[in-house]
Amino acid sequence: MAERREDEAIRTDRLTTVVADDGLPTVREILTIEAVAQGVPEVLSGDDALDARVRWVHVSDSAGVARLLNGGELLLSTGSGWPTDPAELEAFVAGLVEAGLAGLVLELGVHYRYVPAVVETAAREHGLALVALHREVKFVTLTEAVHSRIISEQTAALRARDEVRERFTALSLRGSPADYIVHQLAQTLGAAVVLENLAHEVVAAEVPPAAEEEVFATWEARSRLAHRHDAERRRRGVVVGPDEWLVVPVEARGIRWGHLIALPGPAHPAGRTSVLEQGAIALALGRLADGDVDEWVRIGRQRLVDGLLAGRFAGLGGAAARLEAAGLPVEGARLYGLVATGAPIASGSADAAARALGGRAIDAAASDSVARGPARIVLLSLPGDLGDGQATTLASSLVGGDAASADRLVLSIGSPAEGLDDLLGSLQEAIDLARGARPHGVRGPVIRRADDRPLMRLVTSLRDDHRMLRHSERMLAPLIEHDLARGGGDLLHVLGALLAHPGNRTAAAAASHLSRSVFYQRLTLIGDLLGVDLDDGESLTALHLALLVRQSSRR
């Protein structure tokens, strides 16, 4: 067999411009190339090491080749110039690993008829991919085949990176919100993507509903572990595999706001890291444009609350885990649904007020169907019950101590709850309470509790029962038809004022904003249309129940 020589025809130069490792082939993939397969390769040490990325191939038999490596090379050798002393041979392998060699391919038959045991042992100990070729191959042919593969994949990767950069640059220029950028990242990567703040609280996420419970359970602990693993991989220069969590910071001008985390998913031609970094740049530019306004938190909380109210979640377990990951304790906490109406409430002020009570809160703007004018929905988590004193403190904190706002504020509080299902019921109670008008002449915030309204609580718990809905429709149909025929009549409004003040028709007339004579005319008309006596307690109770059902079902 002819002797191998390290001459100019065989020697290869290293790639001078190195792009992201994600688009490079692995040692395992290179072994499947026909030019390599012809050498009958045998993997002697590999496992995870075979997944190392190869950025170039180097041919050398020199014992001092380690100093010529930049890292990431696949070394082809016959071993003719290697040391003969076992200790020196072991140090030689250690030097290759220290230089960042991706893998070592030794051709047998020219110098070695078998791989020295010390080389095999050292490769295993250092986690270096070691492959033996049992047939002679032309190293030039092999290097050309591998380099062609590398250049082809890198060219495709560069094109893919350009496309991804253009896409996310366009998103940032359009001022796309954080949740939409996260959505686009998930679509591009084909994997779940989460945006968290520096406290490891989830701000926005694109996760399949069926996987929410698995992903968000103990999120903070899992996120911290992913950060530690990421830091260790970066320290060692190891590429993140497709089955690992990928972490990229979102920062600009020396300020870090959070992190993007991509969960395991398929490889991307542009590289999963490159895609996530482009998303991070788009988010950072948007954050700079927002200034001091924390749009991330506002939008994230709004989407979360809207999704809960609309029932856009696969299961209670997953939705509860999502709330926990967003910073709202659910398990073992006392939960309340609240609605603040009548006065403007700043986004995030509820959480600050809850923290002062030893708890946490998530708030979002309420829709027009909840209340006219400014209104916010609050999900409150406390270590204990919300007493009257704490409720007053909370109400004052929501308006920042502003007396004028406090005189307009109405804080509606649902029943105490344990677990997400009860919390949603508590929130619906608060929404139903919030539809009532604020009493006249009362100074300071008005606090309403569902516990003080047993009939309303009953309606809320049975609001979807078809028998309740049928009762409401049958009782109120004549009034609804009358109001619709006149293009906006007020009989339902007058009935509501009467039921709100059943023992005081003077107060009821004032609440209806009608003169007493007109108010009494409306009452007579209501009695005639319904065929009931409005002085009869049972009739009033039935009408009150029907009206509450109608109000509760129209959200």
Side-chain angles (χ1 to χ4, degrees):
M1 189 175 292
E3 182 182 357
R4 290 279 189 190
R5 291 183 305 154
E6 186 183 0
D7 54 25
E8 293 301 323
I10 297 176
R11 189 187 306 271
T12 57
D13 296 324
R14 291 187 293 274
L15 186 65
T16 55
T17 302
V18 180
V19 293
D21 287 346
D22 304 53
L24 296 170
T26 65
V27 176
R28 191 187 309 276
E29 292 169 343
I30 287 177
L31 294 181
T32 64
I33 298 176
E34 183 179 358
V36 181
Q38 289 177 353
V40 189
E42 179 187 2
V43 178
L44 301 176
S45 171
D47 298 329
D48 294 341
L50 292 176
D51 293 322
R53 301 284 179 177
V54 176
R55 68 176 185 82
W56 210 239
V57 178
H58 191 77
V59 179
S60 176
D61 290 330
S62 171
V65 66
R67 69 177 184 275
L68 303 178
L69 303 176
N70 286 339
E73 293 92 349
L74 181 68
L75 178 62
L76 307 181
S77 180
T78 65
S80 61
W82 290 5
T84 56
D85 181 76
E88 293 180 358
L89 200 53
E90 182 178 5
F92 168 73
V93 175
L96 295 178
V97 174
E98 182 68 24
L101 190 70
L104 174 60
V105 177
L106 177 63
E107 184 187 75
L108 301 179
V110 176
H111 184 73
Y112 288 110
R113 295 194 176 278
Y114 58 88
V115 178
V118 64
V119 173
E120 188 172 342
T121 301
R124 285 200 180 97
E125 290 179 351
H126 291 286
L128 175 66
L130 174 63
V131 179
L133 296 180
H134 290 277
R135 289 182 182 174
E136 184 183 43
V137 297
K138 291 183 178 181
F139 278 4
V140 170
T141 302
L142 193 152
T143 55
E144 285 178 347
V146 175
H147 291 168
S148 177
R149 170 75 175 268
I150 291 173
I151 293 172
S152 175
E153 292 194 6
Q154 287 292 279
T155 301
L158 288 171
R159 284 197 296 265
R161 273 190 282 276
D162 286 340
E163 188 275 330
V164 169
R165 181 166 52 250
E166 290 176 3
R167 182 188 311 171
F168 285 96
T169 298
L171 290 177
S172 62
L173 291 176
R174 288 199 299 267
S176 298
D179 64 319
Y180 186 70
I181 292 175
V182 170
H183 170 75
Q184 288 296 308
L185 282 171
Q187 293 290 312
T188 303
L189 290 172
V193 176
V194 177
L195 171 63
E196 65 172 18
N197 60 20
L198 295 179
H200 300 283
E201 294 175 353
V202 175
V203 176
E206 190 69 22
V207 177
E212 284 186 338
E213 186 169 6
E214 178 185 356
V215 170
F216 294 123
T218 64
W219 171 264
E220 182 178 354
R222 298 176 71 191
S223 173
R224 291 184 183 277
L225 181 62
H227 280 262
R228 287 198 295 270
H229 286 174
D230 181 73
E232 177 62 19
R233 286 191 295 258
R234 291 178 183 275
R235 185 186 66 80
R236 295 168 52 201
V238 178
V239 177
V240 180
D243 58 341
E244 299 175 291
W245 286 28
L246 177 62
V247 181
V248 169
V250 181
E251 58 188 356
R253 297 180 181 175
I255 302 175
R256 181 172 295 186
W257 296 288
H259 297 87
L260 275 171
I261 299 179
L263 274 62
H268 190 278
R272 298 177 78 237
T273 301
S274 296
V275 173
L276 208 61
E277 286 175 345
Q278 288 301 316
I281 292 172
L283 287 169
L285 291 175
R287 191 60 189 260
L288 288 173
D290 291 337
D292 295 332
V293 180
D294 196 346
E295 283 294 290
W296 286 4
V297 173
R298 185 190 67 79
I299 294 175
R301 289 172 174 171
Q302 189 70 52
R303 296 288 190 274
L304 183 56
V305 172
D306 288 347
L308 288 173
L309 286 175
R312 293 195 298 269
F313 52 88
L316 290 172
R322 176 70 175 85
L323 283 174
E324 293 263 9
L328 186 79
V330 175
E331 294 298 324
R334 204 67 161 166
L335 305 171
Y336 293 87
L338 291 79
V339 177
T341 56
I345 307 298
S347 175
S349 61
D351 190 40
R355 287 176 184 268
L357 300 176
R360 293 295 304 274
I362 290 177
D363 66 291
S367 65
D368 293 339
S369 63
V370 174
R372 297 175 181 175
R376 292 200 76 78
I377 289 174
V378 180
L379 305 179
L380 177 65
S381 173
L382 293 175
D385 290 329
L386 180 64
D388 292 338
Q390 290 178 313
T392 301
T393 301
L394 179 66
S396 298
S397 300
L398 289 176
V399 294
D402 180 63
S405 296
D407 287 341
R408 300 193 304 271
L409 178 66
V410 177
L411 185 61
S412 302
I413 305 174
S415 303
E418 294 181 359
L420 179 59
D421 196 19
D422 288 344
L423 174 59
L424 294 177
S426 175
L427 180 57
Q428 186 55 51
E429 291 175 353
I431 291 173
D432 290 342
L433 277 174
R435 293 193 172 101
R438 176 187 170 92
H440 294 283
V442 178
R443 300 296 299 274
V446 172
I447 297 176
R448 295 171 174 160
R449 290 183 178 269
D451 287 342
D452 300 330
R453 301 284 301 278
L455 185 59
M456 191 214 67
R457 289 181 58 195
L458 174 65
V459 168
T460 301
S461 63
L462 300 175
R463 60 189 301 272
D464 293 324
D465 189 303
H466 68 279
R467 292 167 296 184
M468 296 282 284
L469 295 172
R470 191 162 57 245
H471 164 76
S472 176
E473 292 171 358
R474 185 173 62 248
M475 291 278 318
L476 301 178
L479 304 187
I480 296 172
E481 292 171 1
H482 180 277
D483 286 348
L484 289 176
R486 281 150 184 79
D490 60 358
L491 294 189
L492 284 177
H493 173 66
V494 170
L495 178 61
L498 173 66
L499 296 174
H501 305 276
N504 189 340
R505 295 199 172 181
T506 299
S512 70
H513 303 291
L514 299 173
S515 66
R516 291 190 61 184
S517 60
V518 174
F519 177 74
Y520 280 102
Q521 291 174 8
R522 296 289 197 277
L523 291 184
T524 300
L525 179 57
I526 290 172
D528 293 341
L529 289 173
L530 298 179
V532 299
D533 181 2
L534 295 183
D535 290 320
D536 178 66
E538 183 174 347
S539 296
L540 287 180
T541 301
L543 286 170
H544 198 177
L545 180 65
L547 192 60
L548 287 174
V549 170
R550 175 177 172 79
Q551 292 172 343
S552 180
S553 62
R554 297 180 65 192
R555 65 184 178 107

